[in-house]
Amino acid sequence: MSENIQRARCFAIVPAAGNSRRMGQPKLLMNVGGQTVIERTLASFSGVSLAGAAVIGRLADHPLRQIVQQVGPPFDWVTGQEDPADMLASIRLGVDHLRDRFHPTARDWFFLLPADYPVIDREVASALVATVQSTGPVAIVPTFTGERGHPVLMSWSVTDHLNEIPEGHGFNWLTHEGIVVVTEVPLHAPGILQDLDTPADFDAISQPTVRLSDGEACP
């Protein structure tokens, strides 16, 4: 790896502004193995060292804000002047926050992880970091049995293309158009596919113990 990559920082953006309509209750506050969903999702980064992270929420979601603030650094609770309309709007809020606070450079990286993935092993994030080779517009995506999951690790240069996404399209438009090159990393980690949308999803999720340890440095 080059010296620039070795000096890179890692950040994270965690969209958490959904309304949990299909779940029928605030899903990020639900208990999974003795912790809330949001706590377990944030704990999935415990195997890496984050320079900063933005959890994007809704203005009136005070219970969720309190939990995120209790978790504390590196996670910042971030809201806009109005609630984000969709995932892309949440990502843009997170990017703006990290830019204003940390001034990332082209050699830096960021994770994107929706807040409703509570059973991701901590080894996943460090496995993605270990594959970093370049700083072009790259997305490093974990897979399990051939299916792509989360979190996704991307070079910060990907954020330069957010304004190119046409109205009505989502973040994946960048990969569909070939603007962002995808590298897949096969892992034995079923949790990367297990998000929570419905009560059936919640019933199907196992309750492994989240293992916490000292962070592994970003490349």
Side-chain angles (χ1 to χ4, degrees), residues 82-94:
E82 57 186 22
D83 292 338
D86 53 25
M87 180 74 73
L88 181 57
S90 289
I91 293 170
R92 284 172 167 151
L93 278 174

Side-chain angles (χ1 to χ4, degrees), residues 9 11 98-105 108 156:
R9 296 173 296 171
F11 300 93
L98 295 174
R99 277 179 177 158
D100 290 345
R101 182 168 181 190
F102 298 102
H103 309 290
T105 68
D108 293 327
W156 188 260

Side-chain angles (χ1 to χ4, degrees), residues 138-203:
V138 175
I140 302 174
V141 182
T143 65
F144 176 69
T145 61
E147 292 187 62
R148 292 178 178 180
H150 283 89
V152 177
L153 178 62
M154 288 176 277
S155 54
W156 188 260
S157 57
V158 169
T159 66
D160 295 335
H161 300 280
L162 290 181
N163 290 335
E164 299 173 23
I165 300 174
E167 184 177 354
H169 291 267
F171 189 79
N172 287 339
W173 181 86
L174 294 175
T175 58
H176 293 158
E177 294 298 310
I179 296 170
V180 174
V181 177
V182 175
T183 297
E184 294 185 349
V185 179
L187 298 172
H188 184 70
I192 68 171
L193 305 179
Q194 293 177 298
D195 62 335
L196 292 178
D197 287 322
T198 67
D201 293 335
F202 183 77
D203 291 341

Side-chain angles (χ1 to χ4, degrees), residues 17-31:
N19 290 297
S20 302
R21 290 189 181 93
R22 284 183 286 174
M23 185 62 74
Q25 61 177 298
K27 62 183 176 180
L28 301 184
L29 304 182
M30 296 174 73
N31 187 299

Side-chain angles (χ1 to χ4, degrees), residues 79-145:
T79 57
Q81 294 183 346
E82 57 186 22
D83 292 338
D86 53 25
M87 180 74 73
L88 181 57
S90 289
I91 293 170
R92 284 172 167 151
L93 278 174
V95 167
D96 289 345
H97 174 80
L98 295 174
R99 277 179 177 158
D100 290 345
R101 182 168 181 190
F102 298 102
H103 309 290
T105 68
R107 67 169 179 256
D108 293 327
W109 293 77
F110 73 102
F111 287 97
L112 176 61
L113 176 60
D116 58 351
Y117 280 79
V119 290
I120 296 175
D121 292 336
R122 68 162 195 182
E123 290 85 358
V124 170
S126 57
L128 299 182
V129 165
T131 68
V132 168
Q133 295 293 331
S134 66
T135 55
V138 175
I140 302 174
V141 182
T143 65
F144 176 69
T145 61

Side-chain angles (χ1 to χ4, degrees), residues 40-55:
R40 291 182 65 94
T41 298
L42 299 184
S44 67
F45 292 115
S46 61
V48 295
S49 179
L50 295 177
V55 181

